[in-house]
Amino acid sequence: MSLKDQLKADMKDAMKAREAGKTALSVIRMVNSAIKNVEINEKRELDDTDVMGIVAKEMKLRQDSLAEFKKGHRDDLIAQVEAEMAVLTKYLPEQLSEDKIRDIVTTVLSEMTAPIKMGDVMAKVMPQTKGRADGKLVNTVVRQEIAKING
């Protein structure tokens, strides 16, 4: 079952759940809308990788919002965003640990020759971590590992 089909099936289940599925229904509708917008703009059918990218983008938006709401002590909004993130998590692959990201980065670095540039490393690491790790965390790990090499 494709990710789009899974979203549609879960949307039907959320509709049947009525009050209990309100948050899930809202989030799934938002994701489906984002998928449809991209399909219309790009005039093509999205595959699971593209859909996962959209879900990851929605998750990132909520993570950023959560940080701001915590700064503002908005407990009501924090609870709402956390509930939305719980729904989105179901559609994302398991997130990579910092150690696993570091392993990927060191492997990429071992295959490169001097001079090592940040952009070159990121270009090789990001496809391996897409949807499975936060870009900021990957960037931080890459910077740390390059600093170790350059001393």
Side-chain angles (χ1 to χ4, degrees), residues 100-118:
K100 183 64 179 155
I101 295 169
R102 196 168 303 280
D103 291 344
I104 293 170
V105 171
T106 53
T107 302
V108 167
L109 286 172
S110 69
E111 297 167 357
M112 298 181 80
T113 57
I116 296 175
K117 295 182 182 162
M118 178 80 176

Side-chain angles (χ1 to χ4, degrees), residues 83-124:
E84 291 176 1
M85 288 171 67
V87 172
L88 290 172
T89 301
K90 191 164 79 168
Y91 304 104
L92 290 173
E94 185 177 335
Q95 296 297 294
L96 296 173
S97 67
E98 187 172 336
D99 291 335
K100 183 64 179 155
I101 295 169
R102 196 168 303 280
D103 291 344
I104 293 170
V105 171
T106 53
T107 302
V108 167
L109 286 172
S110 69
E111 297 167 357
M112 298 181 80
T113 57
I116 296 175
K117 295 182 182 162
M118 178 80 176
D120 295 339
V121 177
M122 289 297 287
K124 292 186 180 197

Side-chain angles (χ1 to χ4, degrees), residues 13-60:
D13 292 342
M15 283 181 193
K16 290 176 186 173
R18 299 215 181 231
E19 201 62 38
K22 249 184 172 176
T23 300
L25 181 60
S26 170
V27 171
I28 294 169
R29 280 184 172 158
M30 204 174 308
V31 170
N32 280 334
S33 175
I35 291 168
K36 193 55 100 178
N37 285 337
V38 171
E39 286 180 338
I40 290 169
N41 290 339
E42 296 184 7
K43 296 179 176 68
R44 68 181 179 92
E45 187 81 17
L46 297 182
D47 60 11
D48 276 356
T49 306
D50 297 324
V51 173
M52 199 176 307
I54 290 171
V55 173
K57 184 178 176 184
E58 292 290 330
M59 179 64 98
K60 179 74 174 124

